[in-house]
């Protein structure tokens, strides 16, 4: 059941440039377990959209199936949403994006939804550099079906039934980089300070922007043995880079000292500033990103921040040279060759 | 080989490889034998075993051409087309052809009394395969997004769409295209993309064959239940499983009609000619959008891949695309509360909106879970029931929207009826003549769509027996007639062919007359 | 809420949240109202909105327990079980329970005249859910490989199998297991693994629900056509698509029976009780191996997830596993030429071999493409036809191998028959009594398997009308009766329920008596 | 149609230890296009099995759908074969392997079969470290369906219809390493000298042994624009390492000079010797393997040889602790708890 959030709020809430206050970006009241990491991410999404002055109806939210995939109900109730089938959100998002290149596509998935049943579609959405934000709310388990291990569960961690996970875990971030993803970031649901700028940067990225967010499942994965539990992550988090997203319209200098930060020019002219907390860090270099991830993994540390970005990213529409006008707006005159052309075709087939 | 010999009509010719002597059991007194030592000729002329195998067929074709007096330049043209880019392979093929021709010239009286001649009897008819016609139809239908995964025999549907799009949808200066065509990673992704694009207001389709259709089951159920349009062209091949990918059949009917778990059913179209492929592809998009549901067109390998003579394509420039019940910003502005699944017009079809239409009105959540009239998730049994009952109402509405059947007589007048669809038309029409010659009177109906409408029901009701002609083993169309119309199974006599070859007129005629002569006359009269 | 009020039987009780006054329209003179200000109590006792929501239900349960006089320690046990490992949550729940109890004690005469009492009337019956029974059945059936993907409501089938395997299949010293259980990456992989394992001679199964079944279509067609055993337990939930995952239905019947493109059909089993889940799971493995084909067991959420009273499980230690026609090295040694698809015994079932059996005899290629009797690829129409015709022969053989139906009378004697299956049994048996009270005589049959055998056909033939009870919208079982037995649709009267709740005896009785009183008597007599 | 190869051959063909001559390992006559790379690989498989003294019936060959997936018909006619459905061979192989751990599982796939429709199953077979040989006969196109680009087609290469492939290609080898594969090799169909020892090593590897073999499609992918064509590969091949497989029973010193070769002890006691042709090459080091692949790729070179091996590989059966006896040989007595146990169970359910 979906609880309807009481509509009337504080009238003096600050407004963004479009004149909307933050509650305009909220969704229905969450029915997830109290304390679920996914809710924190939803809250960050609400805030990011509010601060970025996004027209909610110009954004489409898509998801698969899972607790994580339910969250689109809990943010942006003025956006169209599509809760598709398990593991297949990427293809639905691809079709939607092809139909109308002018909307923002915001995809939410889970680690089960992406790393198991959805692996093929995930890989190929990356390969096509589909212009979308793709968040995995990663809790290392199947929350909705009551806590089985997912393919991102760390080897050796325990699930609720006390069983130890025996398989090597899939590292979605390094896999995405390996596959040529043009924007790869990691964060933690409890770290809104970091999540917010990453979300903003992702929404501005003209291509596939992947954010792998560790998001503890309080019900099934918050036991001591699990490396995806809240406490574990808090202790082992290793923020190698903080991102500060600076839209061009109001450029401000970064808060970080020269020498510790690196600006990356985004395709739309905006910048991402990265502060280099890790040694030898180069967000434009795939191999160094992979290396950093490996080394963190070996130290059981979780590397967060913007790990890799390709500022020259060209999305699917560029690759296949779709016309600029959204395809769903083309009129009959623009797409139907008409009877005269058909006569010629008939002649050619005699 | 026994079957081959048996299949020759009296007075006909049987051509065989005479390298080895023909066994006595293969000798029929009533037919002519033409022995050509194909294997021996190959062995003499080629050393490589693979070549020996390959050129045997070509020698055979050469011999045939001499016997039937086929113009030689027809072959030259064909070879040039076949080996474009590999011209060096042409001379060896020409040589093989000539081996066959020379043998005939040296050993037989040629040409035979049966000939192949260039004629011009088809008026303004055209020659084209069904897949190209579907591809062209999709261009005219205004499809802008195609997603597919290659599979024989459907591959050329999207390939044709793509090459017509090169011509008609590409800006000659910028190279930009008014179309997006994506080769998906598999059929699950292809249908997912089609659903995503249609949800977002673009006309989108995919083409596949049996195995792909099986993989699309889950998504088809989503589109049915969430009420998202989708167009799917299934070019049927011989199943089950991988089956015979290069042979024809009409055996995906049950799978297509009820694809997906739960109470799900889908609109089907059955074209019989390239022209109908063109027309029905356009219709399919109208129907899918008007009914907000998947429409599956069932063609087959024979229609899809082989050239057929067809009436020329036609397009009425006044024809508008029927985009169905879609609310724009203006309409939404005027509305009080938008209910995505409200049956406002009492026809089972609710209004939808595209994403991005209006800043504060019209947004809703599309989902495969149950919902109320306002698209909110619910597990309320009553709301669930209202929803699925409305889908049945929509289904009934569809009956009068899909292409009606073709009747071959003004009034049903005979005791017996003949019922067919798709490519069985060619043989069935011929069979009508054969039956007439035998003084067996039948009325005929060719259906073009599922669900069936009243005309189909009347046809069944007004005949004592109806011969249902289909190209599958399990009488799948007959099943639909029983399930959907409650047709009495005793009335429905199956005429089946499922060996991978198109059904023939003789076959139909024989099965029908065999049934009629074996059926006890009294029993028939008593029904 | 209107529906809720309407559903109370005269003299019954209606409990509601009295925080707001009940509208007049909800007031019925013939029932009792019990108002408890649940919302208000929550607001007074909790500040967090989520807590207010959550504890409302618990307060309600508390109130109910006082009204019905349920032993308090039953709740304490349940809470302890529910919150194992999170004991700190228990006291707040106990508090909520007491809030409800105290309110009742202060405001009503309690307990009511209806009670819940601990009784011991079921003899040696056991209480268990169907999924656990299936899991246990698979252990007894000798299944050694299970592959699955979690999905409600089937998840606990393999979980039960796994925990029984912990007990019975694990070497206490080495920890090594006589079983391999793999959580697959999705349902396509799960059924693929099952097919691979069965091909290689291990008994293997999977469990899923509707969406998973849809995804398995392609592989099920392969197993049918390549003739590889497979056992699949489909715990049905309310469809279509994601539907209502926590509600029950019997609506995967058509999808399961004809899963996959081409002419494909599958053996189905329909258990009604946990004991049948156990027994039929064992049968399923025997049938799959004897018939070399997939066997799909259709249970449902109600049977699978809820505890049911059931006769105790039984096992005959002399029962041997029927592994079907498998040639071992010795047999192969004696043979001349092994033909994988030769119909040696004229029952449509050919002999198979496991990989690794014999150094030089018995190897063959398993494939989804067409083949001859010796498993060699062929596109010969005649060979193809021989093969698929043999599959029909095998299908007919199966009719007498699957569990026969249960008849409720020694001789069919009434004009009307009642036909049902699966969990409708509970309500149907009750309905028989209700109908008897109303002096409506019916014969009854409960089928346990598809394809149907002669008994089913006789039952249909010997009645004027047969009421077919099913829990889906589209009368899917009725469809099977028509398709497979040519049953006359006019005879088959559907009694349906598809709102996600198990069908009730009242519902069945009402639908049947409504039909009988509305049907023109003459018409019935004339049939 | 399958041609039956004339059975009678040269009677003096050398025999292996089992007394079989090489023709005992052959299959039906190939119906692939003359010159197809796949046929060369089949020939190498025949030779490898002959030289390794494999009992053909103790090997099971599995495949998906494609020209490549047809090849199991063309080798080892005394082995059972399973030509499954498109892209799903890994799951069938997994089930087969679980049923009987004592056979050798030899999987053949194509680049379409693996990198597109089969991506999910490929990834998860790797993750489970399924004990099998997995060969991709990689021609960068869909041979069987007449030449469409596959996901491994190089960006910028042309297919038969003259269309340029616009998408980044998937590098199956580096992806496999990234995902934790325990044996990853690359080779070229035309290079039997290299292929043979790689095949032998793969068959001995106790886990998922992946060999990505470039195998030109003469019909659809042999045009100048294609980087998977025979001529192109021959020119750009970069053999970083040659493998010499040395079964323990007959150990011989490698032919390579000390200092240029490295021996890796395999789980079953046999050795693989690698000659280090590339600088800084360490076959035990994931990152160095990835680096080498990247650098070769940047130079449009194709790195062949054994790129990575984990000598501590433990296969699926070890992970899930299956009993040693093949499961398909367990008797009723071993697996059926019997009526007494059931009585206890009933009691517990009262
Ligand atoms: C085809 C199919 N198979 C299985 C399921 C059952 N199912 C629903 S959600 C889910 C996994 C959810 O895990 P994840 O994506 O990690 O989301 P979480 O709940 O952990 O946020 C599964 C297996 C389904 N809905 N559809
Ligand atoms: C479900 C399904 N979709 C599509 C096909 C058609 N199909 C057969 S093989 C193939 C691709 C083959 O490519 P690859 O694996 O690279 O093999 P190759 O022929 O190049 O060796 C396709 C798309 C199929 N058989 N099944
Ligand atoms: S089960 Fe886990 S993932 Fe799902 S809502 Fe609860 S805490 Fe979140
Ligand atoms: S089409 Fe290409 S891949 Fe297929 S057999 Fe011919 S050369 Fe080989
Ligand atoms: Mg999860
Ligand atoms: Mg290929």
């Amino acid at each position: 059941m979906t609880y309807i959030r009481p509509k009337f709020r504080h009238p003096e809430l600050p407004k963004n440039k479009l004149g909307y206050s933050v509650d305009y970006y909220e969704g229905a009241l969450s029915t997830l377990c109290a304390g679920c990491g996914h809710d924190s991410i939803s809250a960050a999404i609400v805030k990011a959209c509010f601060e970025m002055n996004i027209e909610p109806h110009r954004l489409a939210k898509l998801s698969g199936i899972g607790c994580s995939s339910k969250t689109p109900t809990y943010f942006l109730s003025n956006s169209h949403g599509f809760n598709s089938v398990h593991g297949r959100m990427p293809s639905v998002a691809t079709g939607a994006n092809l139909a109308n290149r002018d909307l923002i596509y915001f995809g939410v998935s889970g680690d089960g939804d992406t790393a198991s049943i959805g692996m093929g579609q995930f890989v190929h959405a990356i390969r096509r550099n589909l212009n979308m934000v793709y968040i995995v709310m990663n809790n290392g388990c199947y929350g909705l079906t009551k806590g089985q291990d997912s393919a991102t569960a760390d080897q050796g961690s325990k699930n609720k039934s006390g069983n130890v996970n025996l398989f090597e875990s899939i590292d979605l971030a390094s896999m995405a980089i390996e596959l040529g993803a043009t924007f790869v970031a990691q964060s933690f649901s409890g770290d809104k300070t970091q999540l917010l700028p990453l979300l903003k940067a992702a929404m501005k990225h003209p291509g596939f922007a992947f954010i792998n967010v560790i998001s503890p499942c309080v019900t099934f994965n918050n036991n001591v043995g699990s490396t995806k539990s809240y406490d574990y992550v808090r202790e082992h988090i290793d923020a190698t880079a903080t991102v500060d997203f600076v839209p061009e319209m109001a450029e401000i200098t970064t808060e970080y000292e020269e020498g510790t930060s690196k600006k990356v020019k985004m395709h739309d002219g905006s910048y991402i500033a990265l502060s280099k907390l890790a040694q030898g860090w180069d967000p434009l270099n795939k191999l160094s990103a992979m290396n950093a991830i490996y080394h963190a993994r070996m130290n059981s540390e979780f590397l967060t921040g913007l790990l890799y970005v390709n500022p020259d990213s060209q999305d699917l529409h560029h690759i296949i040279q779709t016309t600029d006008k959204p395809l769903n707006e083309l009129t009959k005159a623009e797409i139907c060759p008409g009877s005269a052309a058909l006569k010629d075709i008939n002649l050619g087939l005699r | 080989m026994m079957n081959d010999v048996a299949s020759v009509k009296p007075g006909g010719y049987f051509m065989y490889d005479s390298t080895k002597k023909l066994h006595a059991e293969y000798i029929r007194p009533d037919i002519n034998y033409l022995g050509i030592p194909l294997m021996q000729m190959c062995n003499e002329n080629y050393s490589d075993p693979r070549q020996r195998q390959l050129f045997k067929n070509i020698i055979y074709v050469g011999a045939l051409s001499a016997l039937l007096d086929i113009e030689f330049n027809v072959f030259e043209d064909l070879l040039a087309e076949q080996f474009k880019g590999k011209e060096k392979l042409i001379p060896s093929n020409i040589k093989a052809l000539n081996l066959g021709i020379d043998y005939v010239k040296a050993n037989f009286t040629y040409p035979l009394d049966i000939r192949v001649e260039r004629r011009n009897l088809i008026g303004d008819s055209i020659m084209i395969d069904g897949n190209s016609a579907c591809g062209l139809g999709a261009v005219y239908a205004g499809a802008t997004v195609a997603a597919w995964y290659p599979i024989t025999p459907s591959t050329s549907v999207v390939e044709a769409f793509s090459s017509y799009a090169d011509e008609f949808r590409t800006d000659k200066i910028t190279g930009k295209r008014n179309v997006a065509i994506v080769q998906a990673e598999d059929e699950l992704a292809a249908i997912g993309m089609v659903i995503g694009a249609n949800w977002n207001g673009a006309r989108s389709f995919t083409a596949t064959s049996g195995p792909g259709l099986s993989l699309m089951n889950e998504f088809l159920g989503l589109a049915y239940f969430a009420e998202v349009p989708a167009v799917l062209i299934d070019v049927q091949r011989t199943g089950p499983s991988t089956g015979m990918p290069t042979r024809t059949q009409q055996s995906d009917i049950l799978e297509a009609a009820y694809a997906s778990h739960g109470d799900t059913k889908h609109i089907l179209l059955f074209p019989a000619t390239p022209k109908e492929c063109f027309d029905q592809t356009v219709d399919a998009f109208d129907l899918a959008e008007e009914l907000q549901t998947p429409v599956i067109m069932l063609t087959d390998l024979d229609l899809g891949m082989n050239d057929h003579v067809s009436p020329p394509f036609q397009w009425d420039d006044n024809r508008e695309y029927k985009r169905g019940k879609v609310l724009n910003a203006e309409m939404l502005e005027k509305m009080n509360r938008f209910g995505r699944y409200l049956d406002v017009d009492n026809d089972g079809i609710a209004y939808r909106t595209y994403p991005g239409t209006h800043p504060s009105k019209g947004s809703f959540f599309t989902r495969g879970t149950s919902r109320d009239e306002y698209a909110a998730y619910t597990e309320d049994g009553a709301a669930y029931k209202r929803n699925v009952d409305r889908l049945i109402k929509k289904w009934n509405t569809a009956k009068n929207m899909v292409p009606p059947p073709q009747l071959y007589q003004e009034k049903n007048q005979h005791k017996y009826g003949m019922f067919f669809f798709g490519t069985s038309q060619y043989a069935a029409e011929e069979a009508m003549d054969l039956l007439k010659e035998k003084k067996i009177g039948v009325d005929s109906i060719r259906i073009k769509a599922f669900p069936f409408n009243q005309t189909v029901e009347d046809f069944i009701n007004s005949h004592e027996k109806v011969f249902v002609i289909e190209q599958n083993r399990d009488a799948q169309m007959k099943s639909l007639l029983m399930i959907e119309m409650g047709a009495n199974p005793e009335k429905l006599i199956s005429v089946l062919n499922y060996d991978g070859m198109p059904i023939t007129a003789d076959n139909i005629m024989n099965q029908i007359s065999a049934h009629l002569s074996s059926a006890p006359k009294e029993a028939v009269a008593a029904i």
Side-chain angles (χ1 to χ4, degrees), chain A residues 38 68 110-113 137-144 150 152 217:
Chain A
H38 301 352
S68 30
D111 43 322
D113 200 59
M137 301 185 173
N138 190 342
N139 51 16
C141 75
Y142 288 9
L144 193 65
S150 80
T152 68
C217 170

Side-chain angles (χ1 to χ4, degrees), chain B residues 435-449:
Chain B
L435 288 168
K436 208 173 282 167
E437 281 170 24
K438 286 208 165 197
K439 305 264 178 294
I440 303 176
V442 291
D443 297 325
S444 293
I445 188 171
R446 176 170 71 89
I447 60 132
K448 300 182 187 174

Side-chain angles (χ1 to χ4, degrees), chain A residues 127-187:
Chain A
R127 180 166 179 260
R128 296 192 186 99
N129 202 16
L130 187 68
N131 189 5
M132 74 179 298
V133 180
Y134 190 108
I135 293 198
V136 169
M137 301 185 173
N138 190 342
N139 51 16
C141 75
Y142 288 9
L144 193 65
T145 52
K146 307 218 178 305
Q148 299 83 9
D149 282 324
S150 80
T152 68
D154 292 271
Q155 207 168 15
S157 70
K158 270 193 198 151
N159 67 14
K160 210 203 176 183
S161 6
N163 296 328
V164 174
N165 173 39
L166 304 163
F167 296 95
E168 227 178 290
S169 78
I170 291 178
D171 187 322
L172 290 172
S174 57
M175 202 187 86
I177 296 175
E178 156 59 30
L179 285 163
T182 52
F183 180 111
V184 177
Q186 295 201 124
S187 192

Side-chain angles (χ1 to χ4, degrees), chain A residues 146-328:
Chain A
K146 307 218 178 305
Q148 299 83 9
D149 282 324
S150 80
T152 68
D154 292 271
Q155 207 168 15
S157 70
K158 270 193 198 151
N159 67 14
K160 210 203 176 183
S161 6
N163 296 328
V164 174
N165 173 39
L166 304 163
F167 296 95
E168 227 178 290
S169 78
I170 291 178
D171 187 322
L172 290 172
S174 57
M175 202 187 86
I177 296 175
E178 156 59 30
L179 285 163
T182 52
F183 180 111
V184 177
Q186 295 201 124
S187 192
F188 174 55
S189 62
D191 189 353
K192 224 168 272 183
T193 335
Q194 187 190 47
L195 203 45
L196 210 57
L198 283 177
L199 282 168
K200 292 178 184 178
M203 280 194 269
K204 281 284 177 181
H205 178 72
F208 194 82
F210 174 55
I211 315 184
N212 183 32
V213 188
I214 300 294
S215 175
C217 170
V218 292
T219 307
F220 298 111
N221 220 350
N222 211 14
N223 24 315
V224 189
S226 165
T227 58
K228 299 274 190 301
S229 74
Y230 197 90
D231 296 343
Y232 189 95
V233 178
R234 262 281 166 234
E235 273 164 34
H236 291 75
I237 198 161
D238 181 15
T240 54
T242 15
V243 186
D244 191 6
F245 176 76
V246 192
E248 197 170 46
M249 20 287 172
E251 195 171 344
I252 37 166
T253 45
T254 70
E255 288 174 49
Y256 307 94
E257 283 179 37
E258 283 296 300
T260 69
S261 72
K262 174 153 185 142
K263 280 191 180 183
V264 183
K265 189 161 191 208
M266 305 288 286
H267 219 252
D268 67 348
S270 59
Y271 287 84
I272 298 174
L274 302 159
S275 66
K276 291 181 160 185
L277 298 181
Q279 269 238 312
W281 179 253
D282 178 4
L284 299 179
N285 182 320
K286 273 192 196 192
L287 273 181
S288 89
M290 301 279 274
N291 282 329
I293 298 175
Y294 278 126
H295 288 126
R297 208 193 294 162
M298 266 169 222
N299 298 330
S300 301
E301 305 240 287
F302 184 70
L303 200 66
T304 65
L306 179 59
L307 305 175
Y308 173 71
V309 68
N310 176 354
D312 300 325
S313 164
Q314 293 215 325
D315 89 322
L316 179 56
H317 284 287
H318 279 93
I319 299 173
I320 62 172
Q321 292 197 274
T322 324
T323 194
D324 297 334
K325 191 170 173 185
L327 293 177
N328 70 352

